[in-house]
Amino acid sequence: MTKPSHLLIAVTLSLVALLSGAQPAGRVLPTISLTAGVHLISAEVAADEQARELGLMHRRGLEPNHGMLFVFDPAFKACMWMHNTLIPLSVAFIDADGRVVNIEEMQAQTDQIHCARREVPFALEMAKGWFAERGLKPGETIIKGLPERARTTKN
């Protein structure tokens, strides 16, 4: 009987992590506390290309009031998709002042593109329906606690 190679063990552990809904090995994103009106949000921050590209792919669920904040520096007309994303999500595209530009409802495991209506420095993904269930709508300045880095970016 031969010993399993280190590569085989690493691949097996990575698959177990992905199937369990955990983050891939080595991927630990900072978390930020935000408020949306009276609601507290715990959001992982995806501020680099690799983190934004992976987003919430392969997750099997989100804890209540948890999501992911995508930071775009400089701001641009961001678009999101749900390739390899197992849970339906809502995305709010947010300007530098914390005002919601538009909210899109996204189905799991689709390649449909959902875009901001104009350039934005932020997008916040939450469980599908999270914004609507709380009466949060486009045009409202609701998101507080956004990172300063992109807040100074002009729209």
Side-chain angles (χ1 to χ4, degrees), residues 129-147:
W130 190 90
F131 298 100
E133 290 167 6
R134 288 155 183 81
L136 304 174
K137 300 175 183 169
E140 296 178 354
T141 303
I142 57 163
I143 307 298
K144 306 284 187 209
L146 294 167

Side-chain angles (χ1 to χ4, degrees), residues 70-76 94-96 119-123 150-151 153 155:
F70 294 80
V71 179
F72 309 108
D73 194 5
F76 78 111
I94 304 165
D95 71 14
E119 291 184 352
V120 295
F122 305 106
R151 291 189 57 138
T153 305
N155 290 347

Side-chain angles (χ1 to χ4, degrees), residues 82 88-93 102-108 110 112-114 126-133 136:
M82 298 290 285
L89 299 170
S90 296
V91 60
F93 294 100
N102 60 297
I103 298 171
E104 301 293 323
E105 302 298 326
M106 304 186 297
Q107 295 299 319
T110 64
Q112 182 179 356
I113 303 295
H114 304 272
M126 300 293 289
K128 187 173 181 186
W130 190 90
F131 298 100
E133 290 167 6
L136 304 174

Side-chain angles (χ1 to χ4, degrees), residues 9-80:
I9 292 170
V11 169
T12 302
L13 290 174
S14 294
L15 283 173
V16 169
L18 286 174
L19 293 174
S20 69
Q23 293 181 4
R27 181 176 177 245
V28 177
L29 296 177
T31 302
I32 190 170
S33 292
L34 303 171
T35 57
V38 298
H39 307 284
L40 183 62
I41 299 166
S42 179
E44 292 177 55
V45 179
D48 62 42
E49 188 174 336
Q50 181 182 10
R52 287 188 301 263
E53 187 175 300
L54 189 57
L56 291 171
M57 286 182 181
H58 308 291
R59 309 266 182 111
R60 295 206 177 274
L62 285 174
E63 294 292 321
N65 298 317
H66 280 67
M68 183 170 281
L69 179 70
F70 294 80
V71 179
F72 309 108
D73 194 5
F76 78 111
K77 193 172 178 182
C79 293
M80 313 297 264

